[in-house]
Amino acid sequence: MDSFLPLLWDLLFPVRCVSCRAPGSWWCEVCRKKSELIRRNPCPNCASRKAVHDCPKSLGLDGIAALGFYHDPRLRSVLHALKYKGATVVMSAVEERLGEWAEERLDIWPWSGLSNLAIQPAIGAPHSVRRRGFDQAHLLSCVVNRVLIPWAAPLDILTRTDSLEPQARLDVGDVRRANVAGSFGLEPGASVPPNILLVDDVLTSGATLDEAARVLRAAGAEKIYALVLAIGA
Ligand SMILES: [Zn+2]
Ligand SMILES: [Zn+2]
């Protein structure tokens, strides 16, 4: 009987790839391997991937590492499953892809050479964390810490209040920036280390990471980096 129930569950709700619906795994090997990896670090000032570009210097970061592109349907399916369907089971496949990314990178990590680094999730707004029952930035931060940078210290000093409007309903640029402003804060009495890696799922306008970095820098952080799963709207 004990082995019958899981079998019945699998029959009723078969595990399927969140991207191509192939049975057998949450993110099949074909989709995982076909999701394009970013092998060079984007510009820390504007997140552009072009070596030569007209840089608006809109971000206050010291370096960015991004796994892939938001416009890549295979990676986007995973991000959507994680964010909107609560499918945290896809994290094991993400973990695998992060390992492959580390092996295939052409650039050194932006934080390379530092002897100390703390990993801080760019925590989600309280209303989305309540709705989903988990914070994907937090989950991701733990995986990044374990798989990519085991020597870094986990950090949990950011607080966040709800912004006025969900980001997706607003236009990019200044409106998003104004919307996110003031939403991050620090835990009372928090001790802020000098080198911090912010982890988030997606970087679109960069307003969220920029705001988190601003708060941390104002409290004494010297170098602030970002690692995201996907870049671009
Ligand atoms: Zn697939
Ligand atoms: Zn730039």
Side-chain angles (χ1 to χ4, degrees):
M1 190 67 186
D2 279 356
S3 60
F4 174 71
L5 283 177
L7 202 66
L8 182 68
W9 182 265
D10 287 349
L11 278 172
L12 291 172
F13 307 104
V15 172
R16 286 185 182 279
C17 172
V18 293
S19 185
C20 73
R21 308 293 297 150
S25 61
W26 293 108
W27 196 22
C28 76
E29 196 176 346
V30 176
C31 288
R32 201 184 78 228
K33 295 258 160 114
K34 273 190 178 170
S35 71
E36 193 182 345
L37 292 173
I38 297 180
R39 295 180 169 80
R40 292 196 188 280
N41 300 322
C43 169
N45 298 319
C46 70
S48 169
R49 292 189 51 256
K50 294 184 183 130
V52 179
H53 61 279
D54 190 12
C55 185
K57 292 195 169 54
S58 52
L59 299 175
L61 296 165
D62 292 283
I64 301 173
L67 175 105
F69 299 99
Y70 194 68
H71 63 70
D72 182 337
R74 297 169 195 92
L75 184 57
R76 200 171 57 233
S77 305
V78 168
L79 293 165
H80 274 236
L82 188 62
K83 204 163 186 165
Y84 300 111
K85 297 180 188 165
T88 50
V89 281
V90 296
M91 278 313 279
S92 58
V94 169
E95 191 168 329
E96 218 157 335
R97 198 63 178 139
L98 285 172
E100 289 161 354
W101 180 43
E103 282 170 20
E104 292 186 28
R105 283 175 60 84
L106 301 173
D107 254 356
I108 54 169
W109 297 109
W111 50 88
S112 178
L114 292 179
S115 58
N116 53 26
L117 184 69
I119 299 193
Q120 166 70 50
I123 53 169
H127 75 272
S128 19
V129 175
R130 264 197 310 275
R131 197 177 59 238
R132 290 174 196 139
F134 65 94
D135 183 357
Q136 75 272 11
H138 208 279
L139 275 181
L140 190 58
S141 183
C142 293
V143 170
V144 166
N145 200 175
R146 190 170 67 246
V147 178
L148 296 182
I149 323 169
W151 52 272
L155 191 66
D156 197 6
I157 57 172
L158 281 180
T159 61
R160 197 164 174 190
T161 51
D162 283 316
S163 39
L164 301 173
E165 296 272 345
Q167 295 263 317
R169 283 195 215 143
L170 298 172
D171 290 334
V172 291
D174 289 346
V175 184
R176 275 197 185 181
R177 198 166 301 277
N179 186 51
V180 83
S183 61
F184 281 104
L186 286 179
E187 291 285 357
S191 143
V192 180
N195 306 315
I196 299 174
L197 171 65
L198 287 167
V199 176
D200 205 355
D201 54 349
V202 182
L203 185 157
T204 44
S205 70
T208 305
L209 287 166
D210 184 55
E211 170 61 13
R214 197 191 58 77
V215 168
L216 292 168
R217 211 181 287 282
E222 290 158 22
K223 297 276 182 192
I224 301 168
Y225 307 91
L227 184 151
V228 292
L229 279 191
I231 205 164

